[in-house]
Amino acid sequence: MKKALTIALISVLMLSSCNSYNSLLKSTDYGYKYEAAKEYYFSGQYTRAYQLLEELIMVMKGSDRGEESLFMLGMCFYNLRDYETATMYLDRYTKTYTKGEYTELARFYSGRASYMQSPDPRLDQSSTYAALEKLQDFLEFHPYSDLREDVNDMIYDLQNRLVQKEFENVQLYYNLGTYVGNCQTGGSNYEACIITAENALKSFPYTRLREDLYMMILRSRYELAQRSVLSKSEERFQQAIDEYYGFKNEFPDSKYMKEADQIYKRCSTRVKTKEERKVN
């Protein structure tokens, strides 16, 4: 019996609340709507808050309340995980209120919303580049912000996603090996592997995949040398040896060191010493 009464009481309260909210939506008392929107926002009722704020940003445009309403509207969608809409309103805030009270936070959460939309590395990375641009803009506008560490962490993560995509391309070229079906304009897959890896390292020198990329370059230089004509093979084996020394110097405790040492030994047997060159 008590359970039935409790359910009935909750139902009455909910119905009353809904009726009250519907009346609020129809009200033309914008000051009251503004205070209600703030109350809904700070109590985490973001759906109710944004329905009020969408009207208030037009009615109160240009005022302090209008500024705060626009920021809260963007944050409502951010908290509801509608990151695309959140970005739209937060960007609108920073363009409208370039020196506003919430400009720093709006830029930060706009960048974070874009960061949250960055896809799996295997997919198109246009949105990742857009997120990087927003976050780098934040650091340019707010170089001493208390939020800069969080922003740098997001930038680092996004860069690693981009490098991951490039690393997958590097692996693909290496695995294709001697297959020539995709080399219509000359060159080889091993050369493509080296170039792609080197470009990734130039663009993102501090990536967590730095060691892996350098190892792929070493492997590819060795494979390329093995398959070269006699006139080019010795020079390419020497390039592989030079790559080995660079790798060993930077990653002396590498998980790949045993494999790297084996490559070095194989290459060394194919390169003439200075004395041998003098004899010839």
Side-chain angles (χ1 to χ4, degrees):
M1 186 68 174
K2 286 184 178 179
K3 185 177 180 181
L5 287 172
T6 301
I7 294 173
L9 180 59
I10 291 173
S11 299
V12 169
L13 290 173
M14 288 180 64
L15 183 59
S16 175
S17 176
C18 288
N19 289 335
S20 176
Y21 182 70
N22 288 333
S23 298
L24 180 61
L25 288 173
K26 296 173 184 177
S27 173
T28 56
D29 185 343
Y30 299 113
Y32 176 54
K33 276 188 171 181
Y34 168 76
E35 294 300 333
K38 286 187 69 172
E39 187 174 338
Y40 284 131
Y41 176 80
F42 287 110
S43 64
Q45 298 183 67
Y46 301 115
T47 300
R48 287 193 167 190
Y50 88 69
Q51 289 176 331
L52 295 171
L53 291 166
E54 284 179 326
E55 180 184 13
L56 292 172
I57 62 170
M58 302 303 296
V59 175
M60 297 182 167
K61 185 177 181 180
S63 68
D64 290 343
R65 286 184 169 187
E67 177 185 347
E68 187 177 27
S69 294
L70 182 54
F71 175 71
M72 287 193 297
L73 180 58
M75 291 306 297
C76 279
F77 286 106
Y78 177 86
N79 287 307
L80 289 169
R81 299 185 182 181
D82 182 350
Y83 298 120
E84 185 175 354
T85 307
T87 301
M88 179 185 73
Y89 281 118
L90 291 169
D91 286 349
R92 181 172 163 183
Y93 177 93
T94 58
K95 290 174 183 176
T96 306
Y97 304 100
T98 55
K99 295 182 179 180
E101 183 178 353
Y102 307 101
T103 301
E104 181 180 337
L105 284 173
R107 281 204 180 96
F108 174 78
Y109 282 106
S110 175
R112 189 169 181 79
S114 296
Y115 166 79
M116 297 300 290
Q117 294 178 79
S118 178
D120 184 280
R122 292 168 293 182
L123 303 177
D124 178 72
Q125 294 299 304
S126 299
S127 58
T128 301
Y129 283 106
L132 273 172
E133 185 176 354
K134 282 183 179 294
L135 293 167
Q136 287 162 348
D137 282 348
F138 177 89
L139 293 178
E140 184 177 338
F141 280 106
H142 310 285
Y144 306 111
S145 171
D146 291 339
L147 297 167
R148 65 186 180 276
E149 187 174 340
D150 289 336
V151 171
N152 280 324
D153 287 344
M154 286 188 280
I155 289 174
Y156 183 68
D157 185 49
L158 290 174
Q159 288 178 338
N160 278 324
R161 293 185 197 186
L162 294 175
V163 177
Q164 181 63 44
K165 188 173 181 66
E166 289 305 301
F167 184 65
E168 289 171 4
N169 290 333
V170 167
Q171 288 181 310
L172 176 62
Y173 283 126
Y174 184 81
N175 292 336
L176 284 170
T178 56
Y179 176 68
V180 296
N182 65 317
C183 302
Q184 303 299 324
T185 57
S188 76
N189 289 307
Y190 292 120
E191 287 175 314
C193 179
I194 293 167
I195 292 169
T196 304
E198 287 179 338
N199 287 340
L201 287 164
K202 285 177 185 176
S203 299
F204 309 105
Y206 304 110
T207 172
R208 59 181 172 79
L209 292 173
R210 184 177 176 85
E211 180 182 346
D212 305 87
L213 286 164
Y214 270 116
M215 189 61 201
M216 292 301 293
I217 293 173
L218 176 57
R219 288 170 180 159
S220 294
R221 287 204 181 281
Y222 170 65
E223 295 295 342
L224 185 62
Q226 275 205 107
R227 291 163 174 76
S228 297
V229 295
L230 189 61
S231 60
K232 293 182 178 180
S233 64
E234 185 174 354
E235 179 186 357
R236 287 179 171 172
F237 277 118
Q238 184 59 56
Q239 288 174 341
I241 289 173
D242 293 341
E243 195 72 50
Y244 164 79
Y245 282 126
F247 181 85
K248 185 176 181 179
N249 183 59
E250 185 165 353
F251 309 105
D253 301 315
S254 172
K255 59 186 175 183
Y256 301 117
M257 191 49 67
K258 184 176 180 180
E259 179 186 355
D261 287 339
Q262 290 175 343
I263 290 175
Y264 168 74
K265 289 175 183 177
R266 292 169 191 160
C267 290
S268 296
T269 63
R270 304 293 295 273
V271 177
K272 294 179 181 177
T273 64
K274 289 182 180 179
E275 289 71 21
E276 290 174 324
R277 290 194 187 96
K278 287 179 182 177
V279 172
N280 293 331

